[in-house]
Amino acid sequence: SRVNSEPVRDRQALLAFLSKTKHQNRIQWNSSTSACDWVGVECDANRSFVFSLRLPGVGLVGSIPSNTIGRLNQLRVLSLRANRLSGEIPEDFSDLTLLRNLYLQDNAFTGEFPISVTRLARLTRLDLSSNKFAGPIPFAVNNMSHLTGLFLQNNKFSGSLPSINADGLDEFNVSNNSLNGSIPGSLSKFPKSSFAGNPALCGGPLRPCNPFFPSPEPSPIPPETPGEKSKNLSVGAIIGIAVGSTIIALLLLLFLILCLFKRRSQPPKPVTAPTGSVPPAEAGTSGGTTERERNKLVFFEGGVYSFDLEDLLRASAEVLGKGTVGTSYKAVLEEGTMVVVKRLKDVAANERVFEIHMETLGKMKHENLVPLRAFYYSDDEKLLVLDFMEEGSLSALL
């Protein structure tokens, strides 16, 4: 039997929503009857609270007023799809803590990804597709740990895809946005159609990502002319080569003798370190100049890595973020090692000044600082190598 009760607070919230939102005459809510009998409204068995609100395609226009739907704190299902709603999602949507399914697709909502929605930890289905949302997809999406379906296609989202925990996700779609960078491994299980329409996206299941800076190509070897090996040098050419080689050898020998005589005639000079330089024992780098000339990648003491510049050149990269001094990448080396490479831009320091700054940074050790493991300097590239932190960035956690 039906209990004769009325969700008074929820009724007031619904009437406030209807009075403040432009709409067509498809919604006929009679204030003289129970809210549980209104079209699109479903209450619990005891008719004590509104359990579900479904108003698809009923001609709702404009923004959702705050302090209306956000007051339905027992709501499990909310569907406002296929209307003409616009503006940003109200902050008080974060009060819908029991919400399981949220369908807002096919409207004209704007603004960034609604942070209020990321606080709904019990959501299982979230559909924000076919709106005008823009900006990055936040790492806070992982707060919704019970999601089985996430639909963000046909918006204006940009930036790189965050590493989303997809263990429970059965359906996922971010197609037709402006996303870039590599697809995180956790999302590579979804088909190409889930990422289509983002030309700057790469990685499985799309085309492979290129390294973050190209490896120098070897000089091309000119093709061998047919019959070239069979040609014999003339007697005159052989004599000319022999005479020329002898003259060059004699000149080199004379030059070496003169250099040796000059060096012996000068008294030895005391070795003094240049002002402001860092002695090799205090520099904190392993390998010294010889290692730098060989690999061009200078490691600091206490590091746990054993790779060189060529290994880094072959690594695939995922954009983690862009700042005022450069772009950070997550680089995955062939053996599976993950590091962060910060590619600096607009750095005008010469090599010695750059090295002094790097040596200072390399000595900084604190539990709240990510240690600098290595650096690379050339006229075209300045790179910093740091540990990769699995839990995401400080900005995302905040």
Side-chain angles (χ1 to χ4, degrees), residues 244-254:
S245 301
T246 303
I247 293 174
I248 291 173
L250 289 173
L251 289 174
L252 286 174
L253 181 60
L254 179 61

Side-chain angles (χ1 to χ4, degrees), residues 296 344 346-351 376-382:
K296 300 292 185 182
L344 304 180
D346 301 330
V347 176
N350 60 39
E351 184 173 6
Y376 166 77
Y377 178 94
S378 72
D379 292 337
D380 300 322
E381 293 284 355
K382 285 97 179 160

Side-chain angles (χ1 to χ4, degrees), residues 30 46 69 73 75 79 142 147 207 216 228 240 247 276 329 369 371:
N30 189 343
N46 294 327
I69 291 179
N73 54 16
L75 202 62
S79 175
N142 287 291
L147 279 181
R207 58 180 176 81
E228 186 175 358
I247 293 174
Y329 303 84
L369 287 179

Side-chain angles (χ1 to χ4, degrees), residues 294-306:
R294 185 167 65 87
N295 285 335
K296 300 292 185 182
L297 194 61
V298 183
F299 285 88
F300 289 91
E301 291 179 354
V304 294
Y305 301 120
S306 58

Side-chain angles (χ1 to χ4, degrees), residues 282-351:
E282 298 176 7
T285 58
S286 61
T289 304
T290 304
E291 186 70 16
R292 187 178 301 122
E293 291 175 354
R294 185 167 65 87
N295 285 335
K296 300 292 185 182
L297 194 61
V298 183
F299 285 88
F300 289 91
E301 291 179 354
V304 294
Y305 301 120
S306 58
F307 56 85
D308 57 21
L309 183 63
E310 290 301 318
D311 297 325
L312 204 58
L313 286 169
R314 291 191 296 266
S316 61
E318 170 189 341
V319 177
L320 294 177
K322 297 181 180 180
T324 56
V325 296
T327 303
S328 295
Y329 303 84
K330 181 179 78 172
V332 182
L333 282 77
E334 291 181 349
E335 74 274 12
T337 301
M338 289 187 294
V339 295
V340 172
V341 179
K342 192 170 189 67
R343 188 181 190 186
L344 304 180
K345 65 177 181 179
D346 301 330
V347 176
N350 60 39
E351 184 173 6

